[in-house]
Amino acid sequence: MFIDIPSKLEAALIERPLPPWELDGSFLAQSTIERYRTELTTIPRFEETAAMLRHALIGEGGGYAVLRLGNLAKALGVGDRFRRLATAFAAKVAVPFSPFPRWPLWKDIGVKIDKDPGKSSGIGYNAFHMDLVNATRPPDYTTLLCVRHDPLGGGPSILSDAHAAVARLSEHSRSLLAETAYHYGTFFDLFGVGEEYKPFPILDGSDPGEGFVRFTAKMLERSELGQAHADAARELAEELVRGQVSFMLQPGDYLIVNQRRFLHGREALHSGQETVPAAGRRLILQLFLRARAGDGSAA
C-alpha cells in the first residue's frame, strides 16, 4: 500500500523540527518516542496518517506500506531533520533499534561493485529473504528509506506474501518446512535479537498463517540441506516469485515491511554501475523495528 502525505501535513511537518533522538542501548529511548509523540500528535492529519500506516502493516490482508515522503525530502534534504521525521513515523509502528552495535540507528546501504552481487549492497539480484533469519527474535519489521534510486533505472524492490505462498504448497512440503532442519549464515556481535537459531524451521509458528516464515533463498546455494528439505524450500522460493509485487522506490519513499507476513528483495541494478560515481549510486537507509508487547505483530 502506498500512503501519500496530505499537503497540509507536509507543510506542518516542514515547519516543525524535531529534537535529536537519544538511544537506550541500541533502542530509541522511550523519552524520545514520547517527545516525538508530543510534538506531532497535535498536528492535523498526523494521527490519521499514522493509523493508516499501522493498518497497512497489521490489518487484514496487509503486511507492507510505502510512505511517500518525497516532498519532505525535497524541502528538508535527507539529513538529520528528515531522518528524525522518518524515525517519528517508524516509532508510531514499533520501537526503532539497531541490532548492529557498531552501526548507527540508520544503516547505509550503498552500492559496492566489488561486493557479492547478491547482497543488499551488491549490484545483482537480491533474492527473497527475511532479515536476521537465524536469530531467535528477528526484527518484527524491516524498513528501507530511499535516498537515491539507481540513476540507470534498475533495482526495483520486490515483495511477496510469505503465508500466501506457503498456502499454495503441498501438505508434504509444508510439513518439511516446519521441521527444524534449516540453517544459514553466521551470528555474532548482534544486539536485541536473541540468540543464534541453528538449525531452525522455515515455518516458525504454531498455526498456519502465523509466525515468521524463516526463509532466505540464499540457503539453497550456501547451506548444506538434505534433498527433501532443499526441494521444499525451492518450491517455496518459486511460489514467492510467482506471487511477487514489484515497484521502484523513489527518493523519499519509506518502505516498511512486516516480517511476520512478507519477505522482501530487490531486482538487479542496471548494468553499467561502474560508470556511475560512488556518490551518485543508489543509496538506501535501513532501520529495524521491534513490536511492542501486545501488538498484533509481536511475538
Side-chain angles (χ1 to χ4, degrees):
M1 179 178 182
F2 287 78
I3 301 175
D4 292 311
I5 306 297
S7 58
K8 288 185 178 180
L9 176 56
E10 286 179 336
L13 291 175
I14 290 169
E15 296 299 321
R16 185 72 64 93
L18 295 175
W21 60 67
E22 295 182 355
L23 299 180
D24 181 1
S26 288
F27 285 80
L28 189 68
Q30 185 61 32
S31 59
T32 297
I33 293 174
E34 292 173 357
R35 178 75 181 276
Y36 286 0
R37 181 184 299 124
T38 300
E39 292 280 349
L40 297 176
T41 52
T42 58
I43 298 178
R45 306 294 297 275
F46 177 78
E47 285 296 321
E48 176 187 333
T49 303
M52 189 182 305
L53 175 61
R54 284 183 55 81
H55 180 74
L57 293 168
I58 64 175
E60 184 177 356
Y64 76 92
V66 178
L67 200 58
R68 311 304 294 266
L69 304 178
N71 289 337
L72 293 172
K74 290 177 182 176
L76 301 175
V78 291
D80 290 344
R81 280 194 62 188
F82 176 68
R83 297 183 193 191
R84 289 171 198 163
L85 284 173
T87 303
F89 273 109
K92 294 295 292 183
V93 174
V95 182
F97 79 107
S98 171
F100 309 104
R102 63 190 183 278
W103 293 98
L105 187 63
W106 288 88
K107 176 186 176 184
D108 288 8
I109 301 178
V111 175
K112 300 177 181 178
I113 59 176
D114 58 342
K115 294 293 184 180
D116 179 344
K119 289 187 175 296
S120 57
S121 59
I123 62 175
Y125 175 64
N126 186 218
F128 280 114
H129 63 282
M130 69 168 288
D131 289 323
L132 293 150
V133 65
N134 60 338
T136 54
R137 296 188 67 222
D140 296 291
Y141 301 88
T142 186
T143 83
L144 300 169
L145 180 61
C146 180
V147 175
R148 291 191 300 272
H149 57 27
D150 178 6
L152 300 180
S157 295
I158 54 174
L159 294 167
S160 192
D161 184 330
H163 291 289
V166 169
R168 295 192 293 269
L169 301 177
S170 67
E171 183 177 348
H172 177 64
S173 291
R174 290 196 297 270
S175 66
L176 288 168
L177 295 175
E179 294 180 3
T180 307
Y182 296 89
H183 54 93
Y184 174 77
T186 57
F187 190 95
F188 63 93
D189 195 20
L190 297 174
F191 181 89
V193 293
E195 307 296 329
E196 182 175 14
Y197 198 1
K198 181 181 179 179
F200 54 81
I202 288 180
L203 302 187
D204 191 12
S206 57
D207 299 314
E210 295 184 359
F212 290 111
V213 177
R214 292 178 175 273
F215 179 76
T216 172
K218 295 174 186 175
M219 68 170 61
L220 295 170
E221 297 179 355
R222 304 181 186 183
S223 300
E224 293 183 3
L225 304 175
Q227 188 63 51
H229 291 100
D231 287 346
R234 190 168 291 106
E235 184 181 351
L236 173 57
E238 293 170 354
E239 287 299 329
L240 289 167
V241 172
R242 184 172 292 117
Q244 78 176 36
V245 295
S246 174
F247 48 81
M248 187 75 76
L249 291 177
Q250 301 299 321
D253 282 351
Y254 187 26
L255 169 63
I256 304 178
V257 182
N258 183 341
Q259 291 213 117
R260 293 180 179 274
R261 298 190 180 187
F262 272 71
L263 301 181
H264 67 286
R266 187 208 67 229
E267 298 284 3
L269 301 182
H270 198 283
S271 60
Q273 292 297 313
E274 68 281 357
T275 67
V276 180
R281 295 173 188 156
R282 185 178 190 264
L283 177 60
I284 301 292
L285 304 179
Q286 185 171 41
L287 175 70
F288 297 100
L289 308 179
R290 170 68 64 210
R292 299 177 179 88
D295 191 302
S297 61

